[in-house]
Amino acid sequence: MKVNIKNELLALVTVLFLQPAFAQSLKASKQRPNIVYIMSDDHAYQAISAYGHGLNSTPNIDRLAKEGVLFTRASVTNSLCAPSRAVLLTGKHSFINGKVDNEARFDWNQDNFAKALQQHGYQTALIGKIHMDGLPQGFDHSAVLIDQGEYYNPNFIINGTKQQLNGYVTDLTTDMAIDWIKNRDQGKPFCLLFHQKAPHREWLPAVRHLAEYTKMKFPEPKTLFDDFKNRGTAAKTAEMNILKNMNWAGDNKVPPAMMDELGLKGFMSWDKTAYNNMLGRMTTQEREAWDKVYNPIMEDFKSKYPSMSQEELMRWRYQRYMQDYLGTVAAVDEGVGRMLDFLKENGLDENTIVVYTSDQGFYLGEHGWFDKRFMYEESLRTPLLLRYPAEIKGGRTSEALVQNLDFAPTLLDYANVAIPPDMQGKSFRKLASGKDENWRDAIYYTYYEYPGIHAVKRHYGVRTDRYKLIHFYYDVDEWELYDLEKDPQELNNVYQDPKYKDVRARMHKKLEQLRKEYKDSTVNDKSFLPKKPKV
């Protein structure tokens, strides 16, 4: 056999030349990704500029959309802070993991995805807000806020020890998150849960954002003066109206002494106390900066208040709400930018999954409301952006019906860790990269905290790509059906409309199917009876 020496030598040289690169490529393919999961509290998708609502600018969060995938129909299973976090950790609905409302205890002894990652060689950390009692389990390091936390000079529980830190909470949480990555065990992949307090009530922007945001005027939602004409009892009796149910001092920052002078009454008993406690945490320098900006605003309000109509008051309160709320979002966006820059500067960006989301949606004046809890869109939907250059092509958008129920199995999937069979969510890893069209056609929702703050009645329901069916129960028995294609603002309940008879039947069938699939029998379960509400 004739051998071509020239070709054989060329092949040998090629193999020797490419061997290091091939080995490095093989190593990279076997290297498990790092995970940075960023979750803010009550951050409405409307307040992220990548979603196109034009309220504010979030250039750093938007980077995740440009470099990854943005989900437009991501939602939660229970629109409430602590239950949402329990669902994130366990991959199970509230009625399975036990954290049905903010009052119920969370059992840290149950499995969660962080424990699974630990057991498979990941170094794990939880930094920021968790809003659940007990020392977090599944984390090598934890630095968590107490309850709701404070904006200025907050208290943290750091690995079981209480410490007060000087500074603004969003900046401090970001500092600790970056420092932990710097000082981690570099021989292990890592998973960091990086949870911001902002933009949770009561909204206190950082000093650097006060002057800018208090001068802004924001567009009003079309439903700011909603009369709920074609809705049921639940929407009409909820206590989250900006004009009627928002606190004057804690929320709108009217000083307690001025409230007394003008005869204003706080809706919640803690109104003045919240104001005094929050501002009382400030240093002398911080308080001087605050008063320099807010005192003129309040003096102007004081001069105008006696002649203001109810409509003018609503508009004033809406602007005050947006100025403070979006002012706190500005620092969150800066923190995301700092994290992304740090990962890139340290060569971690290519092999690190970065998720940005919120624990639920939030009302920014739609239907005249603030807060969340309802299964209506602004509360149900949550922002979700995901960046992972190794698998996801930038600039993608997905309308898939993903939920916070899916975070735990998805992150385990990326880490190549087996997903426990009792997790109720599904991995959307393939979906994120555009490879999986076989996804759920409906999502299931529950809400239990009634009687309670904001008086949102208990309900459960199902949402498909076009329709939504909700059952309000416990002290009422009312059904609502919405055609989201024709009525995206959910202003017209068509449950009794004969034209929707077939749709109603299909939605009822789907609802019962999901209740069985997820093993929900809580409607008639006496263990879910309400506890005495806090005063």
Side-chain angles (χ1 to χ4, degrees):
M1 181 176 70
K2 187 177 179 179
V3 178
N4 188 326
I5 301 296
K6 183 178 179 179
N7 288 345
E8 291 293 325
L9 286 172
L10 180 61
L12 179 61
V13 170
T14 301
V15 170
L16 291 173
F17 178 76
L18 292 177
Q19 188 174 16
F22 176 75
Q24 185 175 1
S25 175
L26 186 63
K27 181 181 178 181
S29 68
K30 292 182 177 180
Q31 185 180 11
R32 289 181 293 173
N34 303 310
I35 300 165
V36 175
Y37 175 92
I38 309 172
M39 183 165 71
S40 297
D41 194 313
D42 291 344
H43 192 176
Y45 63 89
Q46 310 94 291
I48 292 177
S49 45
Y51 281 91
H53 290 263
L55 268 179
N56 61 331
S57 177
T58 53
N60 296 297
I61 298 173
D62 291 359
R63 284 165 60 183
L64 296 173
K66 293 174 184 175
E67 300 171 7
V69 57
L70 178 146
F71 290 87
T72 60
R73 290 179 176 174
S75 66
V76 295
T77 62
N78 183 346
S79 186
L80 199 58
C81 298
S84 178
R85 294 161 201 273
V87 170
L88 153 70
L89 289 167
T90 65
K92 302 174 185 177
H93 274 277
S94 301
F95 46 83
I96 300 295
N97 68 50
K99 187 65 176 167
V100 294
D101 58 25
N102 280 338
E103 301 300 318
R105 298 281 299 182
F106 178 68
D107 180 12
W108 280 104
N109 291 320
Q110 66 185 301
D111 291 338
N112 66 53
F113 82 90
K115 291 182 182 181
L117 290 177
Q118 267 188 328
Q119 292 163 7
H120 288 82
Y122 269 75
Q123 190 174 16
T124 60
L126 168 60
I127 297 175
K129 183 173 178 179
I130 191 63
H131 197 200
M132 294 193 290
D133 293 336
L135 185 66
Q137 295 183 28
F139 301 96
D140 301 301
H141 173 79
S142 63
V144 299
L145 292 160
I146 302 170
D147 196 36
Q148 299 289 3
E150 303 95 1
Y151 275 102
Y152 281 84
N153 307 308
N155 292 308
F156 281 84
I157 301 292
I158 302 178
N159 296 322
T161 303
K162 180 179 176 180
Q163 297 182 40
Q164 182 175 4
L165 303 182
N166 296 324
Y168 186 66
V169 67
T170 307
D171 301 336
L172 292 169
T173 305
T174 304
D175 291 343
M176 287 191 285
I178 291 173
D179 287 345
W180 181 81
I181 299 176
K182 284 180 181 178
N183 298 307
R184 74 192 189 283
D185 180 349
Q186 298 195 15
K188 296 181 178 181
F190 67 83
C191 176
L192 167 66
L193 303 192
F194 168 22
H195 293 185
Q196 295 287 17
K197 167 185 169 59
H200 193 277
R201 185 189 191 190
E202 288 87 356
W203 311 278
L204 273 70
V207 166
R208 64 184 178 275
H209 295 131
L210 298 180
E212 177 186 4
Y213 276 83
T214 53
K215 292 176 183 176
M216 291 184 178
K217 186 172 183 179
F218 299 95
E220 296 174 358
K222 293 179 181 179
T223 58
L224 183 63
F225 294 95
D226 195 346
D227 61 5
F228 306 105
K229 182 172 59 176
N230 297 315
R231 265 64 49 80
T233 304
K236 293 173 182 175
T237 58
E239 296 175 348
M240 56 175 66
N241 182 270
I242 292 171
L243 175 62
K244 299 175 182 177
N245 308 125
M246 189 172 267
N247 281 332
W248 286 102
D251 293 330
N252 289 156
K253 313 307 185 296
V254 178
M258 187 176 290
M259 283 180 61
D260 293 340
E261 189 176 351
L262 297 175
L264 299 173
K265 303 295 183 183
F267 183 73
M268 293 294 182
S269 60
W270 67 74
D271 186 8
K272 295 178 182 178
T273 301
Y275 177 95
N276 290 329
N277 289 345
M278 291 185 305
L279 271 64
R281 301 187 67 85
M282 295 179 173
T283 64
T284 301
Q285 186 177 11
E286 289 165 343
R287 184 60 188 267
E288 287 175 353
W290 179 276
D291 288 343
K292 182 179 179 181
V293 172
Y294 280 81
N295 283 354
I297 295 171
M298 295 308 151
E299 287 300 324
D300 179 69
F301 171 70
K302 178 181 173 181
S303 68
K304 294 177 179 177
Y305 173 74
S307 61
M308 292 174 77
S309 67
Q310 293 295 292
E311 181 178 313
E312 289 169 331
L313 276 174
M314 176 61 140
R315 291 200 156 106
W316 184 88
R317 302 196 78 175
Y318 168 75
Q319 293 299 331
R320 279 275 54 253
Y321 170 33
M322 286 296 92
Q323 289 165 357
D324 290 347
Y325 177 96
L326 295 173
T328 68
V329 169
V332 171
D333 185 68
E334 291 170 349
V336 172
R338 287 179 55 203
M339 176 60 75
L340 294 178
D341 290 345
F342 168 79
L343 294 173
K344 186 173 183 178
E345 291 163 3
N346 289 272
L348 295 169
D349 56 325
E350 292 298 314
N351 195 45
T352 299
I353 297 163
V354 180
V355 178
Y356 185 86
T357 189
S358 174
D359 52 354
Q360 64 262 320
F362 211 69
Y363 293 104
L364 302 184
E366 299 88 0
H367 309 293
W369 288 339
F370 65 106
D371 207 68
K372 58 263 184 178
R373 300 165 195 268
F374 274 112
M375 197 186 171
Y376 304 135
E377 287 295 281
E378 294 85 2
S379 171
L380 173 70
R381 285 171 54 187
T382 189
L384 175 57
L385 306 91
L386 190 150
R387 178 191 181 277
Y388 183 34
E391 290 190 13
I392 301 172
K393 183 179 179 181
R396 290 200 66 251
T397 299
S398 173
E399 295 183 347
L401 297 173
V402 298
Q403 286 193 286
N404 58 344
L405 190 70
D406 305 318
F407 287 141
T410 300
L411 297 177
L412 290 177
D413 190 6
Y414 276 120
N416 197 27
V417 174
I419 300 169
D422 62 344
M423 279 192 176
Q424 296 179 304
K426 297 170 59 178
S427 171
F428 55 78
R429 178 180 180 177
K430 290 182 180 179
L431 191 67
S433 57
K435 297 177 182 177
D436 188 0
E437 298 299 327
N438 184 25
W439 192 249
R440 66 169 66 95
D441 60 0
I443 58 99
Y444 181 60
Y445 179 87
T446 59
Y447 178 77
Y448 300 95
E449 196 172 275
Y450 179 85
I453 184 174
H454 297 301
V456 174
K457 295 187 181 298
R458 295 180 177 218
H459 59 289
Y460 60 93
V462 58
R463 185 208 196 278
T464 64
D465 62 341
R466 178 169 176 175
Y467 300 105
K468 183 184 295 180
L469 177 68
I470 309 172
H471 182 211
F472 293 94
Y473 68 99
Y474 180 65
D475 64 333
V476 293
D477 182 10
E478 296 181 1
W479 291 87
E480 296 182 5
L481 176 66
Y482 295 96
D483 184 339
L484 300 172
E485 183 178 290
K486 293 183 178 180
D487 180 24
Q489 295 175 322
E490 297 167 295
L491 300 177
N492 187 27
N493 174 19
V494 296
Y495 187 79
Q496 300 294 347
D497 189 333
K499 296 177 184 177
Y500 287 87
K501 179 181 177 182
D502 292 341
V503 172
R504 185 176 66 210
R506 291 199 306 270
M507 292 296 286
H508 270 285
K509 184 176 180 181
K510 191 66 181 180
L511 179 61
E512 289 309 308
Q513 174 190 326
L514 291 181
R515 285 178 62 77
K516 290 178 182 177
E517 177 183 334
Y518 290 123
K519 302 176 183 177
D520 184 10
S521 59
T522 57
V523 174
N524 298 312
D525 187 339
K526 292 185 178 181
S527 68
F528 285 82
L529 288 175
K531 303 172 182 64
K532 185 178 180 180
K534 285 186 175 181
V535 178

